[in-house]
Amino acid sequence: MEFARNKTVRGIDLYYEHYQNPEAKETLVLLHGFLSSTFSFRHLVPLLKEDYNVISVDLPPFGKSGKISSFKYSYENLAATVVELMKSLGVREFNVVGHSMGGQIAMNILLHHPDYAKKGILLCSSGYLKKAKLPLVLSSYIPYFHLYVKFHLARSGVKQNLQNVVYDHSMINDEMLYGYLSPFLEDDIFKALTMMIRHREGDLSAEELRKIETPCLLVWGEHDKVVPVRVGRKLNKDLKNSELIILKETGHLVPEERPEDVHQLINRFMAAEETAEATANGSL
């Protein structure tokens, strides 16, 4: 059974897509990257839903989720909001899949809510980025600052941004262009992005990462220009229970570029962890 709906969580309208598999034992929660939405998982979801219950979330203020100014758009609060959504859906345990910024929010879940997240799959996850500098944060209080944000994003252009995040430019088509452009056709998103600049607390520190004990799979594109492989290697060292896989001829947008490979890697990781758990519990 598949359905999409909105639910109010921690004071904001949260859009999510739920793909229920009655035979599946595990639930995967998908978290997209910055300036993206559930759309970025459209090639991966059809593969994953054959083996798992899948819940794909539009992280505020992106996609079809709320864009209100009263919500705190910090990573820690976004992580708590995702966990609250799962609790409201009766999902007591889940495995979190995060791409880019979604990976940083996934790690916030692993750190702050370890009892809920069983495993982490980090796809070209952001890491080690500092909080926005004070002048930029102060600028976010200037009236109409959101118009500057809108101008900056419009100037860079959706096609140019896509060319920066995929290795094979020939895969960029009209469907892809419109899918990544459509969330930015309303002004409310730019006001919310201004709040996100103000609230973003910076990525987890190395010290915080070392506290995470949850098993993690790290999947990286060899030619990632947004979050270079060196970030993945550093995360692999700081996350004590992690494995790093690097995909050849791949850029930053791995769910778009290599959905079949990502699906196989997730299946292998989940199966290996289940075997390890069974061995530890004396079930084998």
Side-chain angles (χ1 to χ4, degrees):
M1 184 171 69
E2 305 172 8
F3 60 84
R5 64 179 54 170
N6 288 66
K7 191 177 185 73
T8 301
V9 181
R10 295 175 78 88
I12 197 162
D13 197 26
L14 206 61
Y15 172 84
Y16 66 97
E17 297 172 358
H18 196 172
Y19 304 85
Q20 294 179 316
N21 183 336
E23 298 179 1
K25 297 180 181 179
E26 300 286 349
T27 297
L28 297 182
V29 176
L30 310 185
L31 305 178
H32 60 80
F34 187 65
L35 303 181
S36 190
S37 68
T38 55
F39 178 81
S40 64
F41 293 116
R42 72 192 189 283
H43 297 312
L44 186 57
V45 165
L47 304 174
L48 293 176
K49 71 179 184 179
E50 297 300 317
D51 304 298
Y52 310 97
N53 294 305
V54 178
I55 302 173
S56 188
V57 182
D58 272 354
L59 296 165
F62 302 107
K64 299 175 184 176
S65 282
K67 299 157 179 59
I68 57 176
S69 60
S70 59
F71 183 78
K72 187 173 183 179
Y73 294 95
S74 69
Y75 288 168
E76 186 171 347
N77 193 46
L78 285 167
T81 302
V82 171
V83 171
E84 285 295 322
L85 173 64
M86 295 307 115
K87 289 163 67 175
S88 73
L89 297 177
V91 180
R92 180 61 185 82
E93 288 185 321
F94 57 89
N95 307 280
V96 60
V97 181
H99 174 248
S100 197
M101 180 195 75
Q104 187 60 218
I105 294 168
M107 286 187 284
N108 269 266
I109 293 174
L110 300 182
L111 177 65
H112 299 295
H113 309 275
D115 292 340
Y116 291 93
K118 297 171 66 178
K119 303 174 185 71
I121 295 104
L122 309 175
L123 310 176
C124 301
S125 173
S126 65
Y128 310 102
L129 294 175
K130 304 296 183 183
K131 178 180 173 66
K133 293 184 178 180
L134 184 59
L136 181 58
V137 173
L138 293 176
S139 297
S140 73
Y141 289 91
I142 298 173
Y144 307 110
F145 180 76
H146 69 280
L147 296 179
Y148 168 78
V149 176
K150 181 177 182 179
F151 171 75
H152 175 75
L153 291 175
R155 184 175 59 183
S156 61
V158 173
K159 186 170 184 178
Q160 183 177 331
N161 285 335
L162 285 175
Q163 289 175 339
N164 192 49
V165 295
V166 299
Y167 177 74
D168 179 7
H169 292 178
S170 68
M171 69 181 294
I172 300 173
N173 54 27
D174 289 343
E175 178 196 12
M176 193 174 181
L177 285 168
Y178 183 75
Y180 285 97
L181 171 66
S182 58
F184 300 97
L185 298 179
E186 300 178 12
D187 281 348
D188 284 350
I189 179 67
F190 301 103
K191 295 177 182 177
L193 282 174
T194 298
M195 302 301 292
M196 193 170 219
I197 291 171
R198 190 180 304 170
H199 296 159
R200 184 183 164 278
E201 69 273 49
D203 293 346
L204 295 178
S205 66
E207 291 73 23
E208 290 172 311
L209 292 169
R210 292 180 192 125
K211 295 177 183 178
I212 295 174
E213 299 182 356
T214 312
C216 291
L217 171 67
L218 282 59
V219 181
W220 238 264
E222 178 186 30
H223 299 280
D224 191 336
K225 298 178 183 177
V226 180
V227 187
V229 174
R230 66 175 181 273
V231 175
R233 296 189 193 280
K234 189 174 181 183
L235 281 173
N236 187 211
K237 290 181 180 179
D238 286 332
L239 293 169
K240 62 180 70 173
N241 192 5
S242 66
E243 174 189 10
L244 173 63
I245 302 294
I246 299 172
L247 300 175
K248 302 287 187 182
E249 298 183 351
T250 308
H252 181 65
L253 210 55
V254 290
E256 286 269 9
E257 295 183 81
R258 303 286 289 276
E260 293 86 1
D261 292 308
V262 171
H263 173 230
Q264 290 178 9
L265 288 170
I266 290 174
N267 279 352
R268 191 196 73 177
F269 174 65
M270 295 292 290
E273 288 299 321
E274 287 172 10
T275 300
E277 288 174 9
T279 302
N281 293 331
S283 303
L284 291 180

